[in-house]
Each structure stands twice: as C-alpha cells, then as structure tokens.
Amino acid sequence: MMKQIIFILVVLIAAGVFAYSIRNIFLNIAFLKKPYPVKDFGKRFKMLFNIGFAQSKILRFPLIGFLHALVFWGFLAILFGSGEMLIDGLFGIEGSLHFLGPIRTLFIATGDIFAFIILVLIIVFLFRRFFLNIKRFQGVEMTHKAHKDASFALFLILMLMVSLLSLNIGFIKSGNYTEEILPISTILAQFLPSISDAHLLIEVSWWTHIVLIFFFANYLPYSKHFHVFMSLPNVFLSKLIPLTQMYNMERVTEEVKLMMDPNAAFAEAPAEEEIERFGMKDVEDGTWKNYTDSLTCTQCGRCTSVCPANQTGKLLSPRKLLIDYRARMNEKSPHLRKDVHFDDQKSLVDNYISREEIWACTTCNACAQECPVNIDHPAIILELRRYLFMEESAAPSALNTMSTNIENNGAPWQYPPTDRLKWADDLFINEA
Ligand code: SF4
Ligand code: SF4
C-alpha cells in the first residue's frame, strides 16, 4: 500500500512537470497563426508508415541506419512493458496485462531482447561520439552544450536498459518467474553469481527504471532528444506538395490576378485586412510547422552533410537554422504570449541567422530530401528571403536588378518588350 501511495505521488509530480512543459509548447503552437495546410490524410498515414514506422529514409544508410532503426523499433517494443509497469504501480498489482496471454509474452520477450540490443548500440554510439572524429557531429552549431545534451540523453537510455535488464535478471534469480520468456536475461543470469536477495534487486531495479522513465520524459522537452516524441507526428504533418514548390502568399496571388485581369479591377474591392508580414523576420512570422520542425530536429547533421553550400565552405548549415529557430522561439515566446507586440530589438534575421547564410542557399532541397524526420529547411530559408526581398529590398544586387526588370519590362532582361524579337532580325530571309 505504501509503495502504491509513493508511486502515485511520483506519477503526479512527473505528470505535472511534463504537462507544464508540453503546455508551453502547445501555447507556442497556438500562438503561430500563419496557416499551414494539413489535408490528404491517406497520403499522410502512408508516409507515417513508410518513413515513421518502417524508417525507410534512415535505412538508406545500410549499417548505421539499420542500427538507429533497431533502437527505434526496440523502444516501441519496450513501451509495452513500461505501460504495464505504470498500471501495476498505480493499482498496486503485478502483471496487469496478463490477460493478453501470448501477446504479452511476445512483447515482454521482444522487449528483453531489444533492451540488450539497445544497450550495446548506445555504447557503440557513445564510443563514436567520444572517440571517432565523425564530421557530421561537428559544426559551429554543435556547441559544448549540444554535445553534453546528446551524451547525457544517451547515458539516460543506457541506464534505462541496464535497469530493465537487471529487473528481468532479478525475476529469473528469484526463481518464481516461469510464465514469461526472457531470452537474454536468462542467458545473462547464468553468468552472474547467485543473489541472496533477488527480491531487493527487483525492487531497486523496478524503481530505478520507472523513475528514470519519468525523468527522461521530463528531460526530453528541453533536449534535442525531444524527437522521441516529435518525429512521428512531424512525419505525419510533412509537406505533401513537391519539395521545390513554394507556398504562395494569398494576398500577393490576389494582387497578381487583379493585375492580369483588367475586369477584376472593377469588381468589388477585397475587404481591408490587417497588413501581414511579407516573409519571416522573426519566429512569430513562421508557421507552427516551422516550430515543430525545430522541435523535431535530432541534430544528426545529415542535412548539413549534403548541403552544397556548406560543402563548398559557405557559412550555411541547414542544421544550424533549425537549432537557431528553436533557440529564438524559446527566448521570445514567453514574452510574446504575454504581449504580442513584445520587441527586444532582436530578430531571427541578423541576430541568429546572418544574411550571408540566407543567400548562400541554392534551394536544391537536398537537406529536406535527406532529413530522416522530413524537416523542411528551405521553407524557413525562403520565408527569410521573402522578408529581405519584399520588405527590405535587401537582396543581392543581381536579384534586385532582375526584379526591377521584371517590373518594368515583363522579363528578367534589360530590354523593353518591343525589342524582344530583335535577336531574330538577321534570321529572316529577304524575300524581295
Ligand atoms: S534537420 Fe533533419 S537531417 Fe538535419 S540535423 Fe535535424 S534531423 Fe538531422
Ligand atoms: S536547399 Fe539550401 S540549405 Fe538545403 S541543402 Fe540545398 S543549399 Fe543547402
């Protein structure tokens, strides 16, 4: 009974802190009013299955991709046992999902195998991070803090797997756990000396494991490992139109249509709306999808490793854009939610992302194509450019010249429309 009361208190504290963190994220999402189209649910579920559950993108890297996919699938299998532990703790019972029979046995056995696989893989990942000079893990955005966060989260996962395996070993050593199949723990238990108090091992491991789960869940919203929660929803909400297609601004489209259709000029004038920002100067000008993209970034660096601008020595790193977006959102959103006109004399453009970075992009979309969680980096870059171009006229001079020509001549070149066919003058045959 005492155990049950303590457990309920621990759950309440963990759930309260978690709800507070998630509430802030939802408030930020609700604050970002710019529309992002979400339809075609059939296509979205297909993408969720292929890229989310089947990990099709990550599996394009045969070895390391497969290892990462194993960790993901392993987590899904282990979740079952964690869910049962939670129910057991809340109701003061043991094996609450027993009624599922062989399904439960299968999940428990799979979880035991995956716990060992994940344990080994996390050691490999930590070794790679600390001792191998992997270029993908480097870059200006990969600060000491970012590396510490990644290592700490990996260490937490390691401890989760150790505690789960020691719990299973405790069950086997106690000698009265005959119903479930625990393949790996049974082997490991044979190599370990006999334990005088297996029940103590079970209790310590059980509490360690469950408290670590709660701690991990509450650490994630402040970590790059938040993708544990975000990657599946973000894949589901991915851009469905071709990657290279820009989202048009409705008002600008309307203006262009009016210009091209003289009769429309006499039609009823559209109602005056509040002037919206052209493009994005700061985070509040983005869509909620830009924000969830930034929360989903795993900082794996696959985008930066294929970015032609980055690879040719330019300042641009698509991973940095996402890290900057999240950092700026964290900095500004608490103030914005209290006062929509809050201004700290800073902005995403210039204070976080330089103009040099913004204009270095070739819009090739390789970053978005490679990202294992379908993040759309060019969507941010193009909006930042739209702001610079349309509000500040601060584009590179060649682009400014081109737009002036389009405005004056209806073409990117410096010739009036009447001269357009001059190039063909010499080609006409003199029939006289
Ligand atoms: S944006 Fe995607 S590819 Fe780039 S670091 Fe983040 S998760 Fe990796
Ligand atoms: S779209 Fe831009 S940021 Fe992305 S890979 Fe291409 S050049 Fe780099």
Side-chain angles (χ1 to χ4, degrees), residues 30-56:
F31 181 82
L32 297 168
K33 296 280 188 304
K34 211 169 185 174
Y36 172 79
V38 180
K39 45 191 176 185
D40 290 331
F41 286 94
K43 277 189 197 164
R44 293 188 180 282
F45 277 112
K46 204 169 154 198
M47 188 141 38
L48 179 66
F49 180 78
N50 285 339
I51 299 173
F53 289 107
Q55 298 276 293
S56 57

Side-chain angles (χ1 to χ4, degrees), residues 3 84 88 92-98 104 171 199 202-203:
K3 178 181 169 182
E84 186 179 51
D88 286 359
I93 48 179
E94 255 180 49
S96 48
L97 300 181
H98 249 300
R104 177 180 181 272
F171 282 134
H199 187 70
I202 292 173
E203 282 298 308

Side-chain angles (χ1 to χ4, degrees), residues 303 306-309 316 318 360-368 377-378 381:
C303 51
V306 295
C307 172
L316 177 63
C361 176
T362 66
T363 61
C364 66
N365 278 280
C367 48
H377 321 67
I381 298 172

Side-chain angles (χ1 to χ4, degrees), residues 254-294:
E254 284 302 315
E255 291 287 333
V256 173
K257 280 184 185 162
L258 277 177
M259 279 166 60
M260 296 179 80
D261 178 7
N263 295 327
F266 300 103
E268 202 180 323
E272 283 291 319
E273 318 158 18
E274 201 183 324
I275 305 283
E276 60 181 309
R277 160 92 66 211
F278 291 106
M280 185 198 300
K281 180 183 182 188
D282 211 343
V283 279
E284 66 269 28
D285 304 323
T287 63
W288 54 264
K289 180 61 168 47
N290 297 142
Y291 176 50
T292 57
D293 273 354
S294 76

